[in-house]
Amino acid sequence: MSIFKADNANSNPLSESALEIEFEKKTFLVVDDITSMRASMRITISTFGGVRIDMAGSANDAIYKIERKAYDIILCDYDLGEGKDGQQLLEEIKRRKLIKNSVIFMMVTAEQRYEKVVSAVEMAPDDYLIKPFTGETLRTRLMRLVYKKAFFAPVYDLMDKQEFRKAILVCDELLVLNNQHLIDLLRLKGEIYLMLGEFDNSKNIYEQILAIRDIPWARMGLAKSLFNMENFGEAAEIFLQVTQENPNYMDAYDWLAKSYTAIGDDVSAQKVLMKVTAKSPRILPRQKSLGEAAYSNGDLDTALASFGSVLKFGKHSTFTAPEDFANMSRIYMDKGEYDQALSTMSDARKNFKNSPEVELHAAVMDSLVYHKSGDTEAAKKAFESAKFLYETSESTTGNATLDLANACFLNGDDVTGGEIIKKLIINNHDNKQVLKQTESMFKKLGMEAKGKAIIQSSSRELITLNNRAVKLAQEGDIKGAVDLLIEAVNTYHANTFITLNAAHAILVYMQKEGWDDDLSQTAKKYLQKVKERDPANKKLLLLSELMKEIAHKFGIKT
């Protein structure tokens, strides 16, 4: 696909001089916690024609508005008072994909030190302005950004449609057309290759960038490529260098901790997470990671503090879950503070009223706490309640399932416990954390040998089934492979590996035999299920793209 026909940069139809920017048609969102500053910004924007202007007084207010309306330009103050700052707002809306790549996000700040901040962050704004500035300065900067966004628009459009291979081809065309944005184009290519799971290519791109200029985000990209190529030691060295030279590059700490965990150095992983949470205590996923690492290392005080921070900073937010209360309760139980353990789950019931999930978590934890405190009668009663809730629930999370299996074995119901573990392992056979937690549970129960046998036989059952499907496909019976994998999804519906393989088999079958409405709907349903669980799954992105290609081949609109 050719984007532009141009012999040189001067003939580019998107050159700055060729663009007439109608700011009166652009939608603006101004984010500032000070009312008078918002009013002042409105006047400034109006001096160059902007009239469609909304205001937000906080990060949460901005997110609320962005979720409900598409903006062209967001002007955000870095210091937003209490709560999230402008940088944290930018990171959240980008991680949650609340804005398209075409949206301009400009940071406005009185902080001279912001230049140092922005040089180290992974998700930088499109530009930033240090106060005070004139309306003409703002207009000029916005014009340049509009031009730049227009230049990248063909790539952004394909990325938004998840047509990543076409996006790479367009990047290559733009690289030939104009090298003014060489680094930005290479960065986009590197990010796309990372998303597609083509780590050799992403590694080469980031090495190419680093040969031109030493940039922290390029070293991060290189280290992520190495991590995904399972070269954890070399990745950890680069992440460590980035944190040492750029102490505010928070993402580097997270990846350094992941690298240490992958190497098996859980103690170093915990130390890194402790350091970064001290710098930035309000990031809940990071606090959860620290809590889990500390609990795994037997550091109950640190684990308790971390999960306590999750509940404190996540109060009234959608980021806390019943499992967070269960984590707290489990630690109190291990410390022998049984009243606190029970009280924590009582608080969970109040926070999540009429929630089947929290009732299951609470019943399981009550059973475990009563058992450990020696109240066997109360433990048995809570256990029966937990079993009933489990049997009638539509889905359960890993920790609740593991806790219930633990309660089964403690109450002498080894058959049910074994069945629950088998289901858990089959649905998470490639999840190292779940396998590690399950092995740890059996070790604490003094059932290591039996546990190992259950884990191995459960994993073997799933792998055998998948291998049967692969063999059928290799023998030419693709429809047989499709039928077998669809049956497997019906049984192991929470297993992402099987769900994606079933979708893949359907797509291969349609590629060969032609479009099938029923099977295409099944594949679409499978891909949507995985998207809800793991939106960044690399195979999901590849299969989504393949499905579009097949639909296009047979003239089907998607």
Side-chain angles (χ1 to χ4, degrees):
M1 180 170 68
S2 180
I3 301 306
F4 305 124
K5 290 182 179 178
D7 296 322
N8 54 58
N10 291 331
S11 64
N12 184 346
L14 294 180
S15 64
E16 268 182 82
S17 59
L19 278 177
E20 290 186 9
I21 301 171
E22 298 174 300
F23 281 109
E24 68 274 17
K25 293 184 179 177
K26 301 288 184 187
T27 51
F28 289 79
L29 176 64
V30 174
V31 189
D32 198 309
D33 63 318
I34 301 173
T35 307
S36 60
M37 296 306 294
R38 295 197 299 271
S40 174
M41 185 61 83
R42 181 192 289 276
I43 294 170
T44 302
I45 294 168
S46 68
T47 61
F48 52 84
V51 291
R52 301 166 69 183
I53 308 166
D54 288 342
M55 302 288 180
S58 67
N60 287 339
D61 188 17
I63 289 170
Y64 178 83
K65 288 184 165 66
I66 291 167
E67 284 177 328
R68 286 158 180 78
K69 182 175 176 179
Y71 292 96
D72 299 311
I73 298 169
I74 299 173
L75 300 171
C76 178
D77 197 272
Y78 174 61
D79 183 359
L80 297 177
E82 292 187 2
K84 298 184 187 76
D85 61 29
Q87 182 61 37
Q88 290 170 321
L89 168 64
L90 171 62
E91 290 177 0
E92 180 169 345
I93 61 178
K94 285 208 169 185
R95 283 205 172 92
R96 293 176 60 193
K97 301 187 186 305
L98 296 180
I99 58 173
K100 291 186 175 182
N101 289 306
S102 57
V103 176
I104 291 171
F105 190 107
M106 179 182 280
M107 201 73 79
V108 178
T109 178
E111 298 277 356
Q112 294 290 337
R113 63 186 173 89
Y114 184 70
E115 185 174 358
K116 288 186 177 178
V117 174
V118 77
S119 66
V121 297
E122 182 188 20
M123 295 183 183
D126 294 300
D127 200 355
Y128 65 94
L129 267 178
I130 305 292
K131 298 177 186 175
F133 53 82
T134 65
E136 179 57 22
T137 300
L138 178 59
R139 186 190 71 84
T140 303
R141 293 283 194 93
L142 287 176
M143 282 185 64
R144 287 178 185 165
L145 289 173
V146 171
Y147 158 71
K148 186 175 177 182
K149 291 285 183 179
F151 181 80
F152 283 96
V155 184
Y156 291 152
D157 183 51
L158 290 167
M159 290 178 71
D160 289 336
K161 293 176 181 173
Q162 296 194 327
E163 296 182 20
F164 297 112
R165 293 193 186 286
K166 289 181 181 175
I168 288 174
L169 292 175
V170 175
C171 280
D172 289 336
E173 285 195 35
L174 291 174
L175 280 166
V176 173
L177 177 72
N178 186 331
N179 64 11
Q180 181 183 354
H181 301 297
L182 173 66
I183 297 287
D184 291 318
L185 283 166
L186 290 174
R187 182 178 188 171
L188 268 178
K189 279 188 71 175
E191 290 173 354
I192 295 170
Y193 278 132
L194 273 179
M195 281 191 287
L196 291 174
E198 296 183 14
F199 304 118
D200 278 330
N201 288 331
S202 61
K203 175 175 172 287
N204 290 338
I205 290 291
Y206 288 116
E207 286 175 338
Q208 191 178 340
I209 296 169
L210 289 168
I212 300 169
R213 195 189 307 166
D214 188 358
I215 311 172
W217 57 255
R219 281 199 275 165
M220 285 291 294
L222 174 60
K224 287 179 186 178
S225 303
L226 292 167
F227 178 93
N228 284 293
M229 294 164 79
E230 300 192 356
N231 190 345
F232 303 122
E234 195 175 344
E237 284 181 19
I238 298 174
F239 289 132
L240 179 60
Q241 287 171 5
V242 174
T243 61
Q244 289 171 337
E245 295 171 16
N246 307 274
N248 291 323
Y249 207 139
M250 301 303 173
D251 196 41
Y253 292 93
D254 295 331
W255 278 92
L256 178 59
K258 284 174 67 175
S259 300
Y260 282 142
T261 300
I263 294 168
D265 187 352
D266 292 335
V267 173
S268 293
Q270 181 184 332
K271 286 180 181 174
V272 170
L273 289 168
M274 288 175 72
K275 189 173 182 179
V276 70
T277 50
K279 286 173 172 285
S280 178
R282 289 179 177 271
I283 306 301
L284 302 189
R286 190 174 290 140
Q287 285 284 5
K288 290 183 184 184
S289 296
L290 174 56
E292 289 165 357
Y295 187 75
S296 176
N297 289 328
D299 182 353
L300 298 184
D301 289 336
T302 299
L304 191 62
S306 296
F307 287 124
S309 295
V310 171
L311 296 184
K312 176 185 173 185
F313 295 128
K315 195 174 183 182
H316 306 307
S317 86
T318 58
F319 292 103
T320 53
E323 189 162 307
D324 298 322
F325 287 87
N327 288 332
M328 284 280 287
S329 178
R330 197 179 302 109
I331 297 167
Y332 279 127
M333 179 183 72
D334 288 354
K335 288 168 70 72
E337 298 176 20
Y338 304 125
D339 288 343
Q340 280 287 358
L342 294 171
S343 172
T344 299
M345 294 318 297
S346 178
D347 289 342
R349 286 185 170 102
K350 292 174 187 171
N351 274 271
F352 299 92
K353 290 180 180 176
N354 303 318
S355 162
E357 185 185 355
V358 82
E359 288 299 330
L360 174 59
H361 271 288
V364 171
M365 286 311 305
D366 286 354
S367 173
L368 293 174
V369 173
Y370 284 131
H371 187 278
K372 194 161 185 181
S373 66
D375 189 343
T376 52
E377 188 176 335
K380 192 79 177 172
K381 187 177 177 182
F383 170 62
E384 293 300 332
S385 174
K387 267 209 316 182
F388 173 77
L389 289 165
Y390 175 76
E391 289 164 0
T392 55
S393 67
E394 293 182 358
S395 63
T396 52
T397 58
N399 278 351
T401 307
L402 199 60
D403 285 336
L404 179 59
N406 191 14
C408 287
F409 291 119
L410 288 172
N411 285 279
D413 189 351
D414 288 12
V415 174
T416 304
E419 289 172 354
I420 291 171
I421 289 296
K422 178 183 173 183
K423 190 174 178 182
L424 176 68
I425 296 301
I426 285 178
N427 281 325
N428 299 275
H429 78 287
D430 54 354
N431 186 324
K432 291 179 181 176
Q433 187 179 8
V434 169
L435 295 175
K436 186 177 176 182
Q437 289 172 335
T438 307
E439 289 169 355
S440 175
M441 181 201 74
F442 279 119
K443 187 176 181 181
K444 288 179 181 175
L445 288 166
M447 299 170 61
E448 284 177 272
K450 184 173 182 175
K452 192 174 180 180
I454 295 173
I455 292 170
Q456 287 181 344
S457 66
S458 303
S459 297
R460 197 180 306 122
E461 180 177 321
L462 184 80
I463 292 167
T464 300
L465 189 151
N466 186 66
N467 288 346
R468 278 176 55 206
V470 171
K471 190 177 179 187
L472 285 171
Q474 288 173 339
E475 292 171 349
D477 185 4
I478 301 175
K479 185 62 168 60
V482 168
D483 292 341
L484 184 62
L485 287 169
I486 288 177
E487 188 181 333
V489 174
N490 291 336
T491 307
Y492 313 123
H493 54 85
N495 188 291
T496 298
F497 170 77
I498 283 292
T499 306
L500 286 175
N501 279 1
H504 195 181
I506 291 171
L507 295 177
V508 171
Y509 176 76
M510 290 198 300
Q511 224 173 7
K512 185 178 180 184
E513 302 296 334
W515 190 259
D516 182 303
D517 285 338
D518 291 338
L519 283 177
S520 69
Q521 287 302 314
T522 302
K524 190 175 179 182
K525 183 177 71 176
Y526 290 169
L527 295 179
Q528 182 59 34
K529 280 173 67 174
V530 174
K531 188 177 180 181
E532 290 167 5
R533 286 181 218 145
D534 184 9
N537 187 295
K538 294 173 178 60
K539 188 167 183 178
L540 168 68
L541 298 177
L542 290 171
L543 293 181
S544 299
E545 199 170 45
L546 178 60
M547 186 156 186
K548 287 181 181 176
E549 287 176 13
I550 295 170
H552 179 72
K553 176 182 175 183
F554 293 106
I556 306 295
K557 288 186 179 179
T558 58

